[in-house]
Amino acid sequence: MKGDRIVRADVHSVQRCVHENFTSAKNLSNIARRNDDCEPAEPADTVTDRLNALLRDSGPGYILTLCPKQTYLIQAPLAFGAANQEISTLGYPTGDERALIVVNGTINDDGTGHTTAVDGTCVSCSGLKLRNVQVDGARRGAPPVNGGANIEMGGEKNFDHLVEFVHSYDPRGWSCLHIAEGSLNCNSSLVQNNDIGPCGSDAFQEWADGISMGCMNSIVRNNMIQGATDGGIVVFGSPGTQVYNNTIWVLNHTLLGGINMVDYDPYNGNFAGTVVTNNSILGGFATSTETPGETLGNNFEGAIVK
């Protein structure tokens, strides 16, 4: 009998061990599946706080994965919290199935309020990535709101930011996409393969840029910008920056400038090494026929436009 009890005890121990190992493996599998999942848009009343908590608390390298075909009604900017983080849609789609982030916060009586969907300007947050999402500023024909662009990247002591396969449109503020210069120490941002616009209104001083670049030694390439109303691409000095293979056009809007390189600030007029080449600008005066007697203006500065 004693030996029988020992055998039974051993069998129970083995069964318990197998059960615990199976349960542990199952839990690990569940954890793995959760890590591969996307963060849902619902419940909508907590989505801003939930997503910002993940960005704030998850540390460098965290990827905030949004769900395809879901709409995120945010009440404040989604703010990156550490270097090398990423916000993207699960599976990296490039069409309408990309997650849609909608600016949905308060607009105040004094003309200020929520304007920015994604903020990547935290200090020393290099290597940030915004990929394969859509951003709707939800202005809907209202007057502009004083604040930032739909997307704010770059900024103080930041380098190697990436924005790609993003559709940004209808900003409440002054630009669909802004790469900020910081204290003239932002470096090496890459803006590519985005579809931008419409941006802003034809009404006087209610315009908005498509892409606004202030970060030096950066690249803006292969972007499609339709319906901007201030500048399709505006280069704020950004010494060493290359702008090429972009297409800018208008259908039902008035565009003040296809590619603008006219701002003295913030680099005190320094455009050294900035190269703008092989871009297409369509519509309005850009592709109209010449009037007899028209002459080219004089260029007294050290710049070449080709």
Side-chain angles (χ1 to χ4, degrees):
M1 295 296 293
K2 181 177 180 181
D4 184 51
R5 285 196 298 272
I6 293 174
V7 170
R8 289 179 180 176
D10 288 342
V11 170
H12 292 158
S13 296
V14 170
Q15 290 175 334
R16 183 168 60 252
C17 181
V18 170
H19 175 74
E20 289 174 352
N21 287 336
F22 175 78
T23 302
S24 178
K26 184 177 179 181
N27 287 338
L28 288 174
S29 176
N30 287 336
I31 291 172
R33 283 200 297 270
R34 284 198 298 271
N35 288 339
D36 289 338
D37 284 345
C38 53
E39 297 298 331
E42 297 293 338
D45 60 344
T46 64
V47 66
T48 307
D49 291 339
R50 284 189 289 110
L51 299 186
N52 273 328
L54 290 169
L55 291 166
R56 182 184 65 243
D57 300 334
S58 299
Y62 172 70
I63 298 177
L64 175 58
T65 304
L66 306 180
C67 299
K69 299 182 180 180
Q70 292 197 14
T71 299
Y72 295 77
L73 301 174
I74 59 170
Q75 303 299 313
L78 300 182
F80 284 100
N84 300 309
Q85 291 186 341
E86 174 181 313
I87 299 175
S88 56
T89 302
L90 181 67
Y92 298 104
T94 57
D96 290 341
E97 63 270 30
R98 289 172 290 184
L100 176 61
I101 305 169
V102 180
V103 176
N104 198 49
T106 301
I107 299 176
N108 303 312
D109 292 338
D110 63 357
T112 62
H114 182 204
T115 60
T116 299
V118 178
D119 186 352
T121 60
C122 48
V123 176
S124 298
C125 286
S126 293
L128 300 182
K129 300 177 180 67
L130 180 64
R131 308 174 65 193
N132 302 79
V133 299
Q134 301 181 84
V135 175
D136 179 3
R139 180 172 160 183
R140 306 294 186 265
V145 178
N146 293 324
N150 259 6
I151 301 165
E152 290 282 350
M153 300 290 284
E156 189 71 14
K157 300 180 181 178
N158 287 332
F159 57 89
D160 292 343
H161 281 193
L162 171 66
V163 181
E164 65 175 0
F165 297 107
V166 170
H167 181 199
S168 176
Y169 61 97
D170 201 21
R172 292 179 175 183
W174 64 280
S175 181
C176 275
L177 169 60
H178 179 213
I179 313 296
E181 67 278 356
S183 298
L184 308 187
N185 53 12
C186 176
N187 211 316
S188 305
S189 291
L190 175 57
V191 178
Q192 64 179 6
N193 303 320
N194 301 289
D195 47 309
I196 304 294
C199 312
S201 164
D202 290 339
F204 182 70
Q205 293 189 341
E206 295 189 2
W207 315 298
D209 295 343
I211 298 173
S212 309
M213 173 56 71
C215 185
M216 61 185 177
N217 299 315
S218 296
I219 294 176
V220 181
R221 66 186 179 193
N222 304 332
N223 300 285
M224 305 292 286
I225 303 161
Q226 184 266 314
T229 51
D230 197 342
I233 299 174
V234 180
V235 184
F236 291 97
S238 308
T241 290
Q242 300 180 53
V243 180
Y244 59 91
N245 292 349
N246 301 283
T247 300
I248 301 163
W249 77 104
V250 288
L251 296 174
N252 300 315
H253 293 81
T254 299
L255 175 62
L256 297 184
I259 299 177
N260 294 355
M261 297 180 290
V262 298
D263 290 272
Y264 184 79
D265 293 330
Y267 288 92
N268 297 323
N270 182 11
F271 285 80
T274 300
V275 178
V276 178
T277 186
N278 294 330
N279 300 280
S280 297
I281 303 172
L282 309 172
F285 295 110
T287 52
S288 62
T289 58
E290 293 185 6
T291 300
E294 283 185 334
T295 59
L296 298 177
N298 294 315
N299 174 23
F300 299 105
E301 304 298 334
I304 299 174
V305 180
K306 64 178 181 177

